[in-house]
Amino acid sequence: MKSKPGSTAPHTLPDGAVSLADHEHHARLMLDDAVWAYFNGGAADEITLRANTQAWQTIELLPRVMRSLAGGHTRVNLLGREWAHPILVAPMAYQRLAHPHAEQATALAAAALGAGLVLSTQASTLLEDVARTVLPEADRGPLWFQLYLLPDRGFMQALVQRAEAAGFEALVLTVDAPVQGARDRERRAGFRRPADIRAVNLAGRVAPTPLSLRAGQSKLFDDLMTHAPTWDDVAWLRSITRLPVLLKGVVHPDDARQALTCGAAGLIVSNHGGRTLDTMPATATLLPRVLQAVAGDAPVLVDGGIRRGTDVLKAMALGASAVLVGRPVLHGLANAGATGVAHVLRLLRDELEIAMALTGCRTLADAPGALLTRA
């Protein structure tokens, strides 16, 4: 049975689900074809989308044996605080398309499982409601708010102030999507966001007035891109907030160095899940180059294609500070709401511990020695 977006059809944990792939298979049965295309499709021929997952699979692990593993753990230090494990939920828009409880259910599960949560600026739930769900949980992970820089600076400043007042602990500025990618699968499926599912935290913003273009001018370059953010906007954002600012979507070493010059507190290596520019390299391939450029001066996180606990271990072995997981969380949400998300996160955490034990890694500081081949 397929449930329609925002429906109250029953959502239950899939029988026999023991992997994220099982959750994906069941979620395909639950979701409308167009919504599935929106959540799971990539840009153009989806080469980057596929490469993200494949790249982690091609990195090999070389186990060590007979090591003392008693007292081992998955804890990490990130932005001055210790977290139970290095798994965060990536920012994803309009989660009400997957389940009526939307971001509230995802937040509840993340907090209960000690996972970090990065709330999308295009969430279909008020940021204050999400914060109230997460913050009381004693063993929760980090709570961050993701932003796109909008031309309406007055609105942006008010939005940042709302996030600060609600208790969010960092801002994640997405910098790799000044324009939407050509998502063919989504367009073929005819996806249209239902009118009752909105980016509720963006209510009241003032959109720029479209320019009058002359013959031969480009709607993209001569209108939309005149409002695209630049490095100066990063400096402005830092000037209006007391929160650390991480940049998401930095993949070039020169940009990584520029980000640190602008005061970024951290970077997230991301190709937007393969949803923007097709034929970009996989994030597992991009990560080492950014790490080399940063040279330990700031934490570097990574997302894209993480589907197993072994993938998490490989990312940490390459030098990442943490990983973000996107689509599998949506699959769990579509299947069983908060219970489904919690199950996805629990599977990843359990698989990470198993992989650590089987490679002789008592802590994640031992992870670099576990790799046979590197991206």
Side-chain angles (χ1 to χ4, degrees), residues 317-365:
L318 289 172
S321 298
V323 305
L324 295 88
V325 180
R327 290 181 177 96
V329 169
L330 291 174
H331 300 153
L333 180 65
N335 289 333
T339 301
V341 174
H343 191 238
V344 164
L345 295 172
R346 182 76 256 180
L347 287 171
L348 272 179
R349 171 78 180 276
D350 288 349
E351 288 182 4
L352 172 60
E353 291 191 352
I354 292 169
M356 290 173 64
L358 290 175
T359 53
C361 297
R362 192 177 69 87
T363 72
L364 289 169

Side-chain angles (χ1 to χ4, degrees), residues 52-59 283-284 302 304-306 311 314-315 318:
N52 274 347
T53 302
Q54 293 166 356
W56 295 115
Q57 295 170 348
T58 58
I59 299 173
T283 49
V302 65
I306 302 286
D311 299 338
K314 292 170 186 179
L318 289 172

Side-chain angles (χ1 to χ4, degrees), residues 149 151 177-179 220 223-231 233:
L149 276 175
V179 65
L220 180 61
D223 185 357
L224 296 177
M225 289 300 97
T226 62
H227 306 291
T230 67
W231 292 110
D233 294 294

Side-chain angles (χ1 to χ4, degrees), residues 214-270:
R214 300 186 304 275
Q217 285 190 300
S218 165
K219 175 65 177 175
L220 180 61
F221 290 109
D222 296 314
D223 185 357
L224 296 177
M225 289 300 97
T226 62
H227 306 291
T230 67
W231 292 110
D232 289 340
D233 294 294
V234 176
W236 172 80
L237 178 62
R238 287 194 60 250
S239 74
I240 66 163
T241 183
R242 57 179 173 78
L243 299 179
V245 176
L246 297 91
L247 301 191
K248 180 177 181 291
V250 174
V251 298
H252 195 288
D254 289 346
D255 287 342
R257 286 184 281 266
Q258 180 69 33
L260 296 191
T261 300
C262 290
L267 304 178
I268 301 175
V269 175
S270 173

Side-chain angles (χ1 to χ4, degrees), residues 113-199:
L113 270 293
L117 177 70
V118 187
L119 183 69
S120 170
T121 197
Q122 294 177 312
S124 46
T125 305
L126 288 172
L127 64 90
E128 291 85 358
D129 292 341
V130 170
R132 280 191 289 268
T133 298
V134 172
L135 293 176
E137 180 59 50
D139 297 323
R140 67 176 178 84
L143 177 63
W144 299 347
F145 187 65
Q146 178 265 341
L147 292 169
Y148 290 102
L149 276 175
L150 304 174
D152 185 347
R153 282 197 168 184
F155 178 84
M156 286 298 303
Q157 186 162 357
L159 183 61
V160 168
Q161 290 170 348
R162 282 178 59 194
E164 290 180 350
F168 285 82
E169 298 157 325
L171 300 176
V172 175
L173 179 64
T174 296
V175 297
D176 64 344
V179 65
Q180 181 173 295
R183 301 202 289 261
D184 293 354
R185 193 197 319 188
E186 180 183 321
R187 292 187 293 176
R188 290 189 189 105
F191 173 76
R192 296 290 184 274
R193 179 169 50 84
D196 61 337
I197 296 179
R198 298 174 291 108

